[in-house]
Amino acid sequence: MKSMTSEELMRLSNQFIMGTYNRSPLVMREGKGSKVFDPEGKEYLDFISGIAVNTFGHCFPPIVSAVRTQSEKLIHASNLYYSEPQIYLAKRLIELTFEGKVFFCNSGAEAIEAAIKLARKYFSVRDNAARFEIISMTGSFHGRTYGGMSASGQEKLWKGYEPLLPGFKHVGYNDLEEAEKAVSEKTAAILVEPIQGERGVVVPSGTYLKGLRDLADRHGLLLIFDEIQTGLGRTGSLFAYQKSGVIPDILTLAKGLGGGMPIGAMIATNRVNQAFSFGSHGSTFGGNPVACSAGLAVLETLTSDGSLLKNCSRLGELILDQFRKWQVRHSFIKEVRGNGLLMGMELLVEGRPIVLKCLEKGLLINCTSEKVLRFAPSLLVTDEEVAKFIRILGSVLEEIAGS
């Protein structure tokens, strides 16, 4: 096929692909580490990593090797049979989280669907099907399937798709009192993100997750942590919940788990996972051998180098320090926040123009909730790349200040 220019490819995309995404004008052709290249060979520094999916940047050699090796042995098995990578990945995930079992799927939304179904099934098999309601948080994002959309606390996600799946109550994030008032005899579970990524990297108080654990225990509820964005080292610990010392009953993962390969997982304690039995739930592609091999490479890298997570915390704090200096300098920066290499900068102006100016200068960042710049670089980002990021973003913020 004839090699096309970026402009030709974008025109072709607009002709044949549904317009459900507000794409930036960049065609990615190749990627290596924190760098990507367009068809014309222009280099970009990637500080969003496919929205925290490319854990170690683009084409990380151990992941490429794992995918290549497994692809030459067995690409798909279905869940009619056992396959080695799926078994080994499940074993490793349990070793790194808590005693329980894993259900594999293909995405974060599917992991949330599985968690919602398991929470309801848990009470149903105990002859208490009247407990089906799930408390989730305003501003939350749990995916775009009907279950995930209904659980999400953002009207923009569900407007035009009503009626939604019944049985969800939304309460304020970081508000324990409101969560307690929402509990009734129908409540089955509390669903929460340890950090709200899509809302703009909103970090709760240090006692919030423990307060939700206590609330769930007092009322016999299940506690579900959505770590689809915060999991796998992103916040400087293997999982964000581990910083709180609180163990959930159900944990959902995706994004960084495959380091670029599509995979999702739901982990549930032994008390809870027994509600799922043969035929309760399933996924044709879930636990695909190639994706699971990539997941094993991700976990091996995260756990074999003790300095990796420390470096993630160090560089994240370095970037936040710079953000705080900019906040003093530029009155349009409302708040800066984050944990590890997941950071947000809330503005008093629209963020999209800043994203596009950064793109022109060869820096990829993201804007969420219209006024929050979101940053999620590779966990292997270097000091030199952080310095370049600060140089480019700083120059763009100066332009905005002067305009």
Side-chain angles (χ1 to χ4, degrees):
M1 186 178 289
K2 169 179 166 286
S3 181
M4 294 186 179
T5 65
S6 291
E7 190 175 336
E8 290 171 332
L9 286 163
M10 286 188 281
R11 194 162 50 240
L12 207 58
S13 172
N14 293 336
Q15 184 178 351
F16 292 111
I17 298 177
M18 289 188 190
T20 54
Y21 302 104
N22 185 19
R23 299 180 197 265
S24 293
L26 164 65
V27 177
M28 289 190 184
R29 174 161 286 174
E30 294 179 30
K32 186 174 183 181
S34 295
K35 299 174 183 175
V36 294
F37 302 86
D38 68 13
E40 286 73 35
K42 182 177 176 179
E43 178 183 308
Y44 298 83
L45 180 63
D46 188 355
F47 259 59
I48 190 61
S49 305
I51 315 181
V53 165
N54 295 312
T55 315
F56 307 116
H58 296 268
C59 299
F60 182 53
I63 293 178
V64 172
S65 175
V67 167
R68 180 184 294 127
T69 300
Q70 183 57 44
S71 297
E72 291 173 349
K73 293 199 298 188
L74 183 71
I75 291 178
H76 178 69
S78 89
N79 287 299
L80 293 175
Y81 311 99
Y82 299 95
S83 67
E84 290 173 294
Q86 186 182 118
I87 296 166
Y88 295 145
L89 180 59
K91 177 176 182 292
R92 196 70 184 109
L93 280 171
I94 293 302
E95 289 170 349
L96 294 170
T97 54
F98 46 82
E99 191 174 342
K101 289 184 180 177
V102 182
F103 174 83
F104 286 113
C105 48
N106 308 290
S107 68
E110 282 184 68
I112 289 293
E113 292 289 333
I116 293 169
K117 289 178 69 174
L118 179 59
R120 291 186 170 183
K121 192 76 171 178
Y122 174 79
F123 288 101
S124 175
V125 298
R126 283 163 174 72
D127 295 325
N128 199 355
R131 292 181 69 166
F132 65 92
E133 286 187 349
I134 294 177
I135 296 171
S136 61
M137 311 304 157
T138 55
S140 62
F141 180 82
H142 300 294
R144 295 179 186 274
T145 54
Y146 256 92
M149 185 172 64
S150 303
S152 297
Q154 298 188 53
E155 185 182 4
K156 67 179 183 181
L157 295 173
W158 68 64
K159 197 170 183 180
Y161 297 109
E162 301 94 337
L164 300 176
L165 193 67
F168 292 91
K169 281 184 179 176
H170 296 106
V171 301
Y173 190 63
N174 204 26
D175 190 334
L176 286 172
E177 192 176 332
E178 194 177 346
E180 177 124 32
K181 286 179 181 174
V183 174
S184 74
E185 68 280 359
K186 296 180 180 176
T187 309
I190 300 171
L191 169 61
V192 65
E193 299 158 281
I195 295 174
Q196 288 192 326
E198 188 70 20
R199 183 185 177 189
V201 194
V202 178
V203 183
S205 72
T207 58
Y208 181 56
L209 297 181
K210 184 174 185 311
L212 290 180
R213 178 74 272 176
D214 291 343
L215 178 61
D217 290 343
R218 274 188 281 117
H219 293 276
L221 315 177
L222 301 182
L223 182 61
I224 306 169
F225 282 172
D226 177 345
E227 288 236 31
I228 289 162
Q229 188 158 156
T230 55
L232 287 311
R234 176 56 56 187
T235 65
S237 63
L238 206 51
F239 302 98
Y241 82 83
Q242 292 171 334
K243 288 185 173 180
S244 70
V246 174
I247 297 177
D249 300 295
I250 301 174
L251 176 68
T252 59
L253 303 172
K255 288 191 181 295
L257 179 57
M261 292 295 289
I263 183 171
M266 176 192 67
I267 303 172
T269 61
N270 284 330
R271 174 176 68 98
V272 176
N273 72 56
Q274 291 173 10
F276 266 3
S277 56
F278 168 68
S280 295
H281 194 43
S283 170
T284 297
F285 292 101
N288 171 275
V290 180
C292 285
S293 295
L296 280 165
V298 168
L299 294 182
E300 171 66 20
T301 303
L302 280 171
T303 55
S304 64
D305 182 353
S307 66
L308 196 155
L309 295 180
K310 289 179 183 173
N311 196 49
C312 174
S313 296
R314 180 183 68 83
L315 288 176
E317 197 51 45
L318 188 153
I319 293 170
L320 275 179
D321 281 345
Q322 181 59 54
F323 284 3
R324 294 183 189 109
K325 291 175 185 172
W326 283 333
Q327 188 182 12
V328 172
R329 184 178 176 84
H330 301 303
S331 60
F332 59 85
I333 299 177
K334 181 181 177 184
E335 185 177 306
V336 297
R337 53 201 181 229
N339 215 317
L341 288 175
L342 180 63
M343 297 150 289
M345 179 188 291
E346 186 168 356
L347 308 170
L348 296 171
V349 298
E350 295 293 317
R352 179 72 173 165
I354 294 177
V355 171
L356 294 177
K357 280 182 180 289
C358 286
L359 179 69
E360 288 175 12
K361 294 175 181 285
L363 172 65
L364 308 185
I365 61 172
N366 168 249
C367 176
T368 185
S369 299
E370 298 182 358
K371 292 185 178 178
V372 183
L373 302 179
R374 180 171 46 174
F375 312 90
S378 157
L379 300 191
L380 296 179
V381 68
T382 65
D383 287 69
E384 291 74 22
E385 288 165 341
V386 168
K388 184 177 180 181
F389 158 75
I390 290 172
R391 194 165 58 248
I392 296 175
L393 181 59
S395 70
V396 171
L397 295 177
E398 287 292 339
E399 287 182 30
I400 295 296
S403 61

